[in-house]
């Protein structure tokens, strides 16, 4: 038999016996119900017990069981705290409040505060009872009414009962005045217009001796300052002396057991008074001057070896930094924060770092004195302290201390936790970019960061580094040697490998020949084979990273021009990716292999160094891209086919080939049918650089659209469709080759061809027609003989490949244009 069933049956039997005593649950006391609920093993059992008890309470309410009303209300409050609905007992609260006895009123007001809130309409019915109890002769009943009013009073109740509360604030009983002051806080929050009624009373309560009244009065004054500017000015004139007196008396008072906390006299009153003084002194020089002496006394006399003393010191520092304090007092406050940084409690150090981040805008020189301690916090075991200390160090950096601070951070980078390295590298890179006064120091720091945490460096950082290297012609040799040396020791760092491979491809001869040696630099021995080995290592190590492997292929292609003796080996390495599953790598391998194997005469011109990158333009573009990552507004989503066009105008269907080239745009103007059909031919001719479209063919869309693919593959075109180059350029690919109406089978399957091989410098343009069954392999660069002077007739335009950040990085496509 399941033991859970036995437990449920036992609970039911117990309840049945209880119900037999009295149908209105008179035998079930609150403690018995709590014991039964805690005995439940599952949520279902608990719901069953609560459901039965609620049913018994409903029966008692409908039967008007007055003797057990307070017991039922206590059980309802417990059920409410468990999260079950108890709205059916709200009227019972009002009945208990209206009773004459103190016990009934106590449980009634407690139920009122728990079961109802200010949004309940039932609360309007209790206003009269509250007013009567506020005027009651029994101070305890008055206290109950003040507590309830201070917890749930609405704006309407505040306006109705504010006069009674004001009267009670003048009472002789300290307990009543304390509760009336706290109730006034709620009234001022709900109805700020009533603030002027409590200004004088609040100022008068600050003269009391009872600490409970004082702390309530200070809290009321704080709320008045938030609610009304007039109240703020009034309290500045009438309360500053009283607050200074209170703070002096509390600081100098002897031991009082009722207010003592760990040897500190009433730290709660200390903190409340300091907060109010901060509000009054902010922006007011006269009030701030009056507070300076007492704040200095509190800051120097309070013990810091107790948590209560540290709380007072923290609030004192906050007050000093918030008012118009003197420079000496601010230095004292910052020194206190410096002591906090040496505390073993992580919470104290964290709040000290937070205040120092705000204090650095007020007195940076005083914060700089604690730089060593702050740097130690960067190495703390607690992650939150490390991050906050790193943010503070970043704010401390200036032109005078940038080098020692950066050195400390770079040294710590070697032993930092992997989770913290990303934030640390980002800060170091930002510091180096922002405060670098010479490029050599900047390059050294960036090379160290790439070596120690290259996998954590963001793309835009190493992009910017390449731009700097491109512009620093006198440091290019030093850069490629430093990167090569670092790559031998830290080849697992991805960003280091990318920058090193790019530099080796661009400045490989500087690496081998030790060009551009600096005075402090020692020569290194690197052969051409060693440079190729370094790039090959990156190509093989980072097989999943397409970007890195693409850069390695480009670097190998460029090294084949720098190191002609290594061309055969480089060709073998490049050809390994001809069957790669990644189309980008496969295309590069095939194209680069063709250039290495078949075009030695023009290879040096094709693979010249990249032009110097415009550093200023890149920085502007980078800044604009960073701002663009946070959109100012969310654009309305446009579904496919849902573009907003004028009524009656349909969106033109884009030609398939144009979409393939990604040359269409949703916001392009609506064009005519003739221009739409001739657009593909125009785009292709413009891409290939072989002239414009003849106007005579604009009205013949059928021929233009039919021969597009044939023209792209150099399988045939008409002179009227393709503008021809100068007579000095000719090849079979540019001759007129009409497609037969009944083509042979062989013509349907063209052989593989090389798109770089149809331009010749020696052949002339021929107008004769020839019919082919299957086109031969064509190379746009085949016609250039070794004796041809390339630079005199053509300029080779290098289309730079771009990363995700539109950063020009490496050569990808080559084509020829007329000079």
């Amino acid at each position: 038999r399941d033991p859970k069933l036995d437990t449920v049956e036992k609970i039911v039997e117990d309840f049945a016996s209880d119900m037999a005593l009295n149908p209105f649950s008179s035998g079930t006391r609150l403690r018995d119900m709590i014991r039964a609920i805690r005995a439940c093993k599952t949520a279902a059992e608990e719901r069953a017990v609560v459901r039965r008890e609620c049913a018994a309470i409903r029966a008692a309410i409908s039967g008007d069981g007055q003797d057990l009303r307070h017991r039922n209300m206590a059980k309802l409050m417990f059920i409410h705290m468990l999260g079950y609905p108890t709205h059916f007992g709200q009227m019972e609260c009002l009945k208990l409040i209206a009773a004459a006895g103190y016990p009934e009123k106590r449980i009634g007001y407690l139920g009122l505060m728990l079961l109802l809130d200010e949004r309940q309409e039932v609360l309007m019915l209790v206003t009269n009872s509250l007013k009567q109890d506020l005027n009651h002769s029994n101070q305890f009943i008055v206290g109950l009414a003040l507590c309830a009013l201070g917890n749930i009073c609405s704006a309407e109740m505040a306006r109705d009962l504010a006069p009674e509360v004001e009267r009670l604030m003048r009472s002789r009983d300290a307990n009543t005045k304390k509760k009336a002051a706290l109730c006034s806080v709620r009234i001022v929050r709900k109805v700020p217009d009533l603030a002027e009624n409590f200004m004088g009373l609040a100022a008068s309560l600050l003269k009391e001796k009872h600490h409970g009244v004082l702390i309530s009065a200070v809290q009321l004054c704080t709320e008045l300052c938030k609610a009304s500017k007039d109240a703020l000015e009034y309290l500045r004139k009438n309360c500053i002396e009283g607050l200074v007196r209170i703070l002096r008396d509390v600081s100098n008072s002897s031991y009082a057991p009722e207010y003592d906390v760990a040897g500190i006299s009433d730290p709660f009153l200390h903190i409340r008074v300091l907060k109010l003084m901060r509000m009054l002194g902010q922006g007011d020089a006269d009030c701030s001057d009056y507070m300076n002496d007492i704040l200095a006394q509190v800051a120097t006399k309070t013990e810091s070896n107790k948590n209560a003393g540290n709380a007072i010191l923290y609030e004192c520092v906050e007050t000093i930094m918030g008012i118009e304090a003197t420079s000496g007092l601010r230095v004292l406050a910052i020194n206190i924060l410096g002591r906090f940084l040496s505390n073993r409690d992580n919470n104290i150090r964290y709040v000290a770092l937070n205040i120092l981040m705000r204090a650095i805008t007020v007195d940076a020189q005083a914060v700089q004195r604690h730089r060593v301690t702050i740097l130690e916090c960067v190495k703390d075991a607690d992650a939150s302290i490390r991050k906050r200390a790193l943010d503070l160090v970043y704010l401390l950096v200036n032109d005078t201390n940038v080098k020692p601070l950066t050195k400390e951070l770079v040294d710590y980078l070697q032993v930092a936790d992997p989770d913290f390295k990303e934030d640390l590298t980002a800060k170091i890179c930002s510091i180096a970019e922002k405060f670098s006064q010479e490029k050599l120091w900047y390059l050294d720091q960036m090379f160290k960061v790439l070596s120690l945490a290259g996998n954590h460096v963001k793309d835009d950082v190493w992009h910017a580094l390449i731009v700097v290297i491109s512009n620093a012609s006198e440091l290019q040799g030093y850069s490629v040697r430093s990167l090569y040396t670092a790559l031998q020791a830290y080849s697992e760092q991805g960003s280091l490998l990318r920058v090193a491979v790019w530099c080796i491809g661009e400045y490989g001869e500087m690496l081998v020949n030790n060009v551009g040696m600096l005075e402090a630099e020692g020569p290194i021995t690197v052969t051409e084979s060693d440079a190729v080995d370094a790039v090959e290592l990156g190509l093989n190590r980072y097989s999943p990273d397409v970007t890195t492997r693409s850069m390695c292929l480009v670097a190998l292609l460029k090294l084949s021009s720098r190191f002609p003796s290594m061309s055969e080996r480089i060709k073998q390495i490049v050809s390994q990716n001809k069957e790669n599953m990644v189309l980008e790598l496969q295309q590069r391998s095939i194209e680069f292999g063709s250039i290495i194997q078949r075009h030695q005469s023009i290879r040096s011109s094709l693979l010249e160094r990249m032009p110097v990158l415009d550093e200023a333009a890149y920085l502007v573009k980078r800044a604009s891209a960073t701002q663009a990552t946070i959109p100012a507004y969310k654009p309305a989503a446009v579904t496919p086919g849902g573009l907003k066009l004028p009524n009656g105008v349909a969106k033109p269907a884009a030609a398939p080939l144009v979409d393939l080239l990604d040359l269409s745009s949703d916001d392009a103007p609506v064009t005519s049918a003739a221009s739409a059909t001739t657009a593909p031919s125009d785009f292709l001719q413009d891409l290939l650089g072989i002239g414009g479209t003849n106007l005579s063919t604009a009205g013949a869309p059928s021929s233009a659209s039919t021969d597009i693919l044939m023209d792209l593959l150099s399988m045939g075109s008409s002179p009227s469709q393709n503008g021809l180059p100068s007579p000095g350029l000719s090849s079979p690919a540019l001759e007129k080759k009409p497609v037969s109406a009944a083509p042979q089978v062989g013509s349907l399957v063209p052989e593989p061809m090389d798109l770089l091989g149809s331009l010749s410098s020696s052949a002339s343009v021929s107008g004769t027609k020839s019919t082919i069954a299957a086109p031969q392999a064509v190379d746009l660069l085949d016609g250039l003989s070794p004796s041809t002077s390339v630079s005199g007739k053509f300029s080779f335009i290098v289309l730079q490949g771009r990363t995700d950040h539109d950063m020009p990085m490496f050569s990808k496509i080559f084509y020829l244009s007329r000079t």
Side-chain angles (χ1 to χ4, degrees):
R1 185 181 174 88
D2 191 353
K4 292 183 179 180
L5 295 177
D6 295 338
T7 303
V8 174
E9 288 182 359
K10 184 176 182 304
I11 293 173
V12 173
E13 290 174 359
D14 292 340
F15 268 93
S17 61
D18 290 337
M19 295 299 177
L21 297 176
N22 190 302
F24 301 140
S25 69
S26 60
T28 307
R29 296 175 299 178
L30 176 62
R31 68 180 65 180
D32 297 330
M33 186 191 73
I34 294 174
R35 187 180 296 112
I37 291 176
R38 289 181 176 175
C40 297
K41 302 299 183 183
T42 64
E45 295 177 12
E46 179 183 296
R47 287 194 297 269
V49 173
V50 172
R51 191 162 46 246
R52 292 188 185 95
E53 191 64 34
C54 288
I57 294 173
R58 284 193 185 96
I61 291 174
S62 60
D64 196 19
Q66 297 182 3
D67 296 337
L68 303 175
R69 185 173 286 160
H70 64 283
R71 178 183 294 180
N72 291 335
M73 182 54 59
K75 290 189 286 187
L76 271 179
M77 285 188 285
F78 185 80
I79 293 172
H80 172 78
M81 288 188 289
L82 293 178
Y84 295 96
T86 55
H87 56 277
F88 57 88
Q90 291 177 352
M91 294 304 297
E92 289 297 290
C93 295
L94 303 185
K95 293 178 182 178
L96 287 170
I97 291 172
Y102 174 78
E104 290 80 7
K105 284 184 178 294
R106 181 180 62 176
I107 197 71
Y109 277 120
L110 184 58
L112 181 73
M113 290 183 283
L114 283 178
L115 305 183
L116 282 82
D117 57 41
E118 60 179 283
R119 295 168 295 180
Q120 301 284 344
E121 295 183 359
V122 180
L123 200 62
M124 298 175 60
L125 303 176
V126 80
T127 304
N128 189 50
S129 297
L130 280 171
K131 189 170 185 177
Q132 292 178 0
D133 290 340
L134 289 175
N135 294 308
H136 203 281
S137 57
N138 189 333
Q139 61 173 343
F140 299 107
I141 293 178
V142 173
L144 289 175
L146 287 172
C147 286
L149 187 62
N151 277 280
I152 63 168
C153 106
S154 60
E156 292 78 8
M157 294 175 64
R159 290 189 180 92
D160 293 339
L161 300 177
E164 278 70 21
V165 176
E166 293 178 34
R167 179 181 56 80
L168 292 172
M169 289 179 67
R170 300 184 180 92
S171 173
R172 294 182 179 179
D173 182 61
N175 190 51
T176 302
K177 285 192 287 189
K178 177 184 69 175
K179 294 186 177 182
L182 292 175
C183 184
S184 302
V185 172
R186 171 86 177 194
I187 292 174
V188 172
R189 286 177 184 171
K190 290 298 175 183
V191 188
D193 295 341
L194 296 177
E196 60 182 10
N197 298 343
F198 295 95
M199 293 188 301
L201 292 171
S204 63
L205 289 180
L206 293 177
K207 301 175 183 178
E208 296 286 335
K209 299 295 184 181
H210 191 275
H211 283 209
V213 178
L214 286 176
I215 198 169
S216 302
V218 170
Q219 182 66 13
L220 176 58
C221 291
T222 304
E223 197 64 36
L224 289 172
C225 293
K226 296 177 182 178
S228 170
K229 290 184 178 180
D230 295 337
L232 177 62
E233 293 299 328
Y234 177 85
L235 294 176
R236 279 176 175 168
K237 296 177 181 178
N238 298 278
C239 294
I240 290 295
E241 294 183 6
L243 292 174
V244 171
R245 177 185 53 79
I246 293 172
L247 200 55
R248 183 179 294 109
D249 292 343
V250 175
S251 300
N252 299 329
S253 63
S254 57
Y255 174 75
E258 55 181 332
Y259 303 126
D260 183 80
V261 177
I264 306 296
S265 178
D266 204 345
F268 302 102
L269 183 58
H270 266 100
I271 292 171
R272 287 293 184 184
V273 171
L274 288 170
K275 285 184 177 180
L276 179 56
M277 293 174 72
R278 179 164 71 248
M279 295 185 68
L280 297 178
Q282 188 173 8
D284 191 302
D286 294 335
C287 290
S288 300
D289 290 341
Y290 200 85
M291 302 174 189
N292 284 337
D293 293 340
I294 188 61
L295 290 176
Q297 180 181 342
V298 172
T300 53
K301 291 186 62 176
T302 305
E303 298 179 7
S304 59
N305 56 350
K306 303 288 186 179
N307 198 38
N310 287 327
I312 295 174
L313 287 174
Y314 168 79
E315 205 62 48
C316 185
V317 170
E318 285 273 29
T319 302
I320 292 172
M321 303 308 298
I323 66 173
E324 308 297 321
T326 61
S327 59
L329 196 57
R330 285 177 179 160
V331 171
L332 176 61
I334 293 174
N335 290 340
I336 292 173
L337 296 177
R339 293 205 308 269
F340 280 179
L341 293 179
S342 303
N343 199 296
R344 291 178 297 178
D345 191 340
N346 289 343
N347 295 323
I348 295 176
R349 283 186 290 169
Y350 186 82
V351 297
L353 291 170
N354 273 336
I355 303 179
L356 285 173
M357 290 186 68
R358 300 197 304 268
I360 197 171
T361 59
V362 179
D363 194 343
Q365 192 62 35
V367 181
Q368 289 283 359
R369 297 191 185 99
H370 304 280
R371 189 173 61 205
V372 176
T373 309
I374 296 170
L375 278 171
E376 290 299 319
C377 291
V378 176
K379 307 172 186 178
D380 195 85
D382 189 271
S384 59
I385 292 178
R386 285 201 307 262
K387 184 173 177 58
R388 188 61 65 191
L390 181 61
D391 294 338
L392 180 55
V393 169
Y394 182 76
L395 296 176
L396 286 174
V397 176
N398 53 38
D399 293 333
T400 59
N401 61 17
V402 57
K403 291 186 177 181
L405 281 179
T406 305
K407 182 180 182 302
E408 291 284 346
L409 295 178
V410 172
D411 292 343
Y412 177 62
L413 191 59
Q414 300 180 12
V415 295
D417 293 340
D419 296 337
F420 187 56
K421 278 190 176 181
E422 184 174 356
D423 293 334
L424 188 56
T425 53
K427 293 296 185 184
I428 295 174
C429 294
S430 179
I431 290 171
E433 291 179 10
K434 185 176 179 181
F435 295 98
S436 61
Q437 299 176 353
E438 50 188 20
K439 288 188 176 181
L440 179 59
W441 179 83
Y442 167 76
L443 293 175
D444 286 339
Q445 304 311 311
M446 295 305 298
F447 294 160
K448 291 178 183 178
V449 173
L450 290 177
S451 301
L452 298 174
N455 293 327
H456 301 277
V457 175
K458 296 181 180 179
D459 289 345
D460 59 337
V461 174
W462 61 268
H463 291 173
L465 176 60
I466 287 179
V467 173
V468 173
I469 295 175
S470 173
N471 283 268
S473 57
E474 71 282 0
L475 296 174
Q476 288 170 353
Y478 171 77
S479 298
V480 69
R481 285 187 293 274
S482 300
L483 288 168
Y484 176 82
T485 305
L487 190 60
Q488 304 307 306
Y490 304 98
S491 58
E492 72 281 357
Q493 302 295 341
S495 297
L496 173 66
L497 177 64
R498 295 188 191 101
V499 179
V501 163
W502 186 89
C503 288
I504 292 173
E506 292 293 325
Y507 318 115
E509 69 281 7
M510 291 185 173
L511 174 64
V512 173
N513 300 324
N514 285 326
V515 177
M517 295 286 294
L518 301 181
E519 295 181 0
E521 185 182 5
I524 60 174
T525 303
V526 180
T527 63
E528 296 179 354
S529 179
D530 293 337
V532 176
D533 288 341
V535 181
E536 184 182 11
L537 176 65
L539 183 64
N540 296 331
R541 179 184 290 272
Y542 286 86
S543 54
D545 190 348
V546 177
T547 301
T548 303
R549 299 192 70 187
S550 300
M551 295 180 66
C552 291
L553 289 175
V554 176
L556 288 171
L557 176 64
K558 292 199 171 188
L559 289 179
S560 68
S561 174
R562 277 50 164 178
F563 309 144
S565 61
M566 303 299 297
S567 295
E568 190 62 30
R569 180 188 171 192
I570 291 174
K571 189 182 94 171
Q572 294 176 2
I573 298 173
V574 170
S575 63
Q576 295 174 3
N577 289 278
K578 283 186 176 181
E579 298 180 356
N580 198 294
M581 296 297 293
V582 181
L583 182 60
E584 175 75 14
L585 300 177
Q586 183 187 116
Q587 178 184 352
R588 289 175 186 272
S589 179
I590 294 173
E591 292 177 356
F592 296 171
S594 176
I595 293 174
I596 296 172
Q597 181 178 2
R598 305 176 61 183
H599 306 291
Q600 291 86 355
S601 60
I602 62 172
R603 185 171 58 190
S604 59
S605 300
L606 283 172
L607 304 177
E608 291 180 353
R609 286 184 187 171
M610 287 183 62
V612 176
L613 304 174
D614 190 346
E615 187 173 2
Y618 171 71
L619 293 176
V620 172
K621 186 176 182 180
R622 181 183 177 187
S624 61
T626 304
Q627 294 176 356
T629 56
I630 306 176
Y633 65 95
K634 185 177 181 181
V638 180
T639 57
L643 186 66
K644 296 181 179 180
L645 292 175
N647 292 333
V649 179
K651 180 182 177 182
L657 193 55
V658 181
D659 284 347
L660 179 62
L661 296 173
D662 197 20
L663 296 173
S664 61
S665 174
D666 281 343
D667 53 358
V670 181
T671 59
S672 63
S675 62
T677 54
T678 59
S681 179
D682 295 340
F683 285 132
L684 284 177
Q685 291 162 4
D686 184 44
L687 175 64
L688 297 173
I690 55 176
T693 304
N694 196 318
L695 295 176
S696 64
T697 64
S702 59
S703 62
S705 58
T706 303
D707 295 341
I708 290 172
L709 186 58
M710 311 299 287
D711 183 29
L712 175 61
L713 299 176
S714 299
M715 294 176 61
S717 61
S718 61
S720 61
Q721 291 174 349
N722 292 339
L724 296 178
S726 64
L729 291 177
S730 176
S731 73
L734 297 180
E735 295 179 354
K736 183 179 180 182
K737 300 181 181 67
V739 181
S740 174
Q744 298 179 9
V745 177
S747 65
L748 298 177
V749 185
E751 294 181 4
M753 56 189 62
D754 190 347
L755 295 180
L756 299 177
S758 69
L759 294 180
S760 172
S761 63
S762 59
S764 61
V765 178
S766 174
T768 60
K769 302 180 180 180
S770 61
T771 305
I772 58 172
Q776 300 297 320
V778 181
D779 191 338
L780 292 176
L781 302 180
D782 267 348
L784 296 177
S785 62
S787 60
T788 304
S789 176
V790 177
S791 60
K793 293 186 178 181
F794 306 101
S795 62
F796 293 85
I797 309 301
V798 183
L799 297 183
Q800 305 299 334
R802 295 178 180 271
T803 65
D804 293 338
H805 298 277
D806 289 338
M807 165 63 199
M809 289 302 304
F810 42 82
S811 309
K812 181 179 178 183
I813 303 173
F814 304 89
Y815 72 95
L816 290 160
S817 68
R818 298 278 303 280
T819 55

